Amino acid sequence: MAMMSQVVNTYPLSNYSFGTKEPKLEKDTSVADRLARMKINYMKEGMRTSVDAILLVQEHNHPHILLLQIGNTFCKLPGGRLKPGENEVEGLKRKLTSKLGGNSAALVPDWKVGECVATWWRPNFETMMYPYCPPHITKPKECKRLYIVHLSEKEYFAVPKNLKLLAVPLFELYDNVQRYGPVISTIPQQLSRFHFNMISS
């Protein structure tokens, strides 16, 4: 018997409200700085494990993903590095609250972390990541997992003042490696096995 597609409820972007909070400054000013810091942390803690969230809304009956934009061009999924030994789901909730939660507990969204839809590997201290670990690599430098996070019908997001929160349609992401990089531009393929329930309210 064929398995049914898992349903993901997506609510209109207009259901959500957005505010601002103190800037979340990047620890690194360049890619080279980031890779150098990664190397130092690797020496201390071993392989870096990071978790990112796929937050879905809908507009014009089409799924959109919420991305944080830094500066004019660079976009990333909300999430980040786990502490050594930290549970992935709890760590992702912590990162999401840090990135997008309000300043009081009442304003923090109820993050419902769903399934992991992709795992990416960084074999070396370089920018390239792969959706598999190359066979000759015995000590990868980073493992990144992408989780669907189911949003409630209404939420409040507090966006750091130095970042923008964009709702980007799947058709804009698809195969757009040049703009979004390999991890984000392949999210439409990762989500193709889900059924999107477009709820208009």
Side-chain angles (χ1 to χ4, degrees):
M1 188 174 134
M3 286 185 66
M4 298 287 286
S5 295
Q6 188 179 332
V7 174
V8 176
N9 290 333
T10 53
Y11 299 94
L13 179 61
S14 56
N15 276 26
Y16 300 98
S17 51
F18 302 89
T20 58
K21 63 179 178 181
E22 287 308 300
K24 266 247 171 277
L25 299 175
E26 290 293 301
K27 292 190 175 83
D28 312 300
T29 54
S30 70
V31 173
D33 286 354
R34 181 164 167 265
L35 294 172
R37 185 168 60 88
M38 196 180 284
K39 201 168 192 173
I40 291 165
N41 286 336
Y42 179 83
M43 299 303 178
K44 287 192 292 190
E45 299 167 358
M47 185 185 74
R48 171 191 174 106
T49 304
S50 54
V51 285
D52 287 344
I54 298 172
L55 303 173
L56 287 151
V57 298
Q58 66 109 337
E59 207 169 21
H60 309 301
N61 248 19
H62 184 73
H64 287 54
I65 289 174
L66 298 182
L67 295 177
L68 287 166
Q69 181 176 313
I70 303 155
N72 294 324
T73 55
F74 183 70
C75 289
K76 67 177 186 177
L77 293 164
R81 181 165 69 108
L82 295 178
K83 296 172 181 173
E86 186 175 21
N87 173 277
E88 289 184 4
V89 170
E90 294 310 311
L92 182 53
K93 289 179 180 180
R94 175 179 65 80
K95 281 293 184 184
L96 285 171
T97 298
S98 162
K99 294 279 188 339
L100 294 172
N103 291 328
S104 71
L107 292 176
V108 172
D110 177 21
W111 308 114
K112 296 184 184 76
V113 179
E115 69 179 278
C116 175
V117 297
T119 302
W120 287 80
W121 300 89
R122 190 187 305 276
N124 302 300
F125 297 114
E126 295 166 359
T127 53
M128 281 302 294
M129 296 189 81
Y130 301 88
Y132 53 84
C133 190
H136 63 283
I137 299 292
T138 55
K139 293 183 177 177
K141 305 307 181 273
E142 180 178 7
C143 174
K144 179 194 286 285
R145 297 194 202 280
L146 274 53
Y147 284 87
I148 283 191
V149 176
H150 300 276
L151 294 176
S152 301
E153 187 176 356
K154 293 187 186 310
E155 293 289 7
Y156 169 80
F157 299 110
V159 184
K161 286 178 183 170
N162 60 319
L163 303 175
K164 287 180 192 163
L165 191 62
L166 308 177
V168 183
L170 289 191
F171 65 76
E172 159 75 12
L173 298 177
Y174 175 65
D175 211 22
N176 198 345
V177 181
Q178 200 168 359
R179 171 82 174 87
Y180 296 103
V183 175
I184 292 175
S185 65
T186 51
I187 288 174
Q189 289 96 310
Q190 316 291 358
L191 298 183
S192 63
R193 61 197 166 94
F194 294 95
H195 171 72
F196 294 106
N197 186 22
M198 303 290 174
I199 299 171
S200 54
S201 49

